Amino acid sequence: MLNKVLPLLLLCFAPLLLAKELALSFDDGVNPETNLAAKQINQDILQHLSDQHVTAIVFPSLIKTGTGEGLNLVADWGKNGHKIGNHSDQHLNLNKPEVTLTQYLTGIEQAQKSLQNMAGWTPRYRFPFLKEGNTTEKRDGVRQWLQTHQYQAGDVTIDASDWYYNQLFKQYSDKNDAVALEKLKSAYVAHVLDRAQYYDGLALKTLNYSPKHVLLLHVNAINAAYLGDAIVALRQHGWHIVDSDTAYADPIYQHKPDNLPAGESLVWALAKAQGHKGLRYPAEDAPYEKTNLERHGIWVQP
């Protein structure tokens, strides 16, 4: 009898056993002083997360949120049960020669002062642009500061480059082009699925296992519109969505690649450190997305 039941049980639970895992993270935030839709964007993203029963983490940068009402929007994430990390005050690129270590560390401290008393605050740092330093001094200097101040990992393993699709979303929204927006929704969801699959495949080649991933998105208009669709599609394609603390407990986030310049998706950086060939530049925009967009009926200017 057991011999007959066991295969049936394995068949029923196979999707759960094989499910890949990821957490959702959101960078930057929106500023009501410069974006009239900021409050609605923030509310809509939080509503999508609530509807889908997802707990996420947001990494605000003060230059993106502003220091007034924008910080109240950030606080709403904590009040809704999400985590709040640190994305610096000025969103500086640490790989630029003119950005000094002292200047950069001051920016982390300034952002922490504005965020640390919010519900949901957690000392995790996300590097702006995913750039972690163009010199050993800057790379190791920030790593040492974060360790000394008991910061935990804030890395990304899946870089979805949603910012590029957000640019198209705003263009079509300004034109009230409902047909183009519907096509863009399909293209965006396909893009998120493709990027998740790509980085998971790269992890399998690099680490020989599928880690608990952290997906990078932004607090922006396209996610306010289509985040729910993206979450549903991820689940339909075998992804189990976990909270950020669960994801960051994975051993992958203990790795500190020695690359210079440092940064990018952690999976990408580890693959580069191992000498994997054919890694495309991770900032995926028009040249990379042209095929996907055209497949969904969207023509992109060359």
Side-chain angles (χ1 to χ4, degrees), residues 107-277:
I108 300 176
E109 291 176 321
Q110 290 300 318
Q112 177 176 321
K113 290 177 182 178
S114 295
L115 301 169
Q116 63 187 355
N117 293 321
M118 293 182 179
W121 162 254
T122 185
R124 296 191 187 278
Y125 184 68
R126 171 72 52 80
F127 287 83
F129 307 102
L130 302 183
K131 308 302 185 187
E132 299 183 24
N134 61 321
T135 67
T136 303
E137 176 196 14
K138 290 199 286 187
R139 181 195 68 193
D140 295 350
V142 175
R143 288 178 179 178
Q144 182 59 53
W145 188 95
L146 293 173
Q147 181 178 1
T148 299
H149 290 79
Q150 300 182 318
Y151 268 71
Q152 305 166 69
D155 303 90
V156 169
T157 56
I158 302 172
D159 182 0
S161 298
D162 58 333
W163 57 270
Y164 175 70
Y165 281 79
N166 189 57
Q167 291 177 348
L168 296 176
F169 180 85
K170 290 190 289 186
Q171 290 177 23
Y172 298 142
S173 294
D174 289 344
K175 297 176 182 177
N176 294 314
D177 191 337
V179 173
L181 285 170
E182 190 64 25
K183 293 177 181 178
L184 183 65
K185 177 171 72 173
S186 298
Y188 179 57
V189 170
H191 167 73
V192 172
L193 292 171
D194 176 76
R195 293 299 78 205
Q197 187 62 35
Y198 169 76
Y199 282 104
D200 191 55
L202 188 57
L204 288 168
K205 294 177 184 177
T206 305
L207 301 166
N208 297 316
Y209 81 101
S210 176
K212 291 179 175 64
H213 289 279
V214 175
L215 169 65
L216 168 60
L217 299 171
H218 290 82
V219 183
N220 59 23
I222 196 167
N223 287 317
Y226 304 147
L227 178 62
D229 298 281
I231 291 173
V232 169
L234 284 165
R235 286 173 168 154
Q236 290 174 341
H237 286 76
W239 287 96
H240 176 56
I241 301 179
V242 299
D243 63 87
S244 57
D245 285 348
T246 298
Y248 281 126
D250 192 283
I252 187 177
Y253 300 102
Q254 301 303 314
H255 289 277
K256 300 295 180 187
D258 289 332
N259 302 330
L260 280 178
E264 312 305 344
S265 153
L266 182 55
V267 168
W268 189 95
L270 289 169
K272 182 181 179 183
Q274 289 186 12
H276 284 259
K277 305 298 182 183

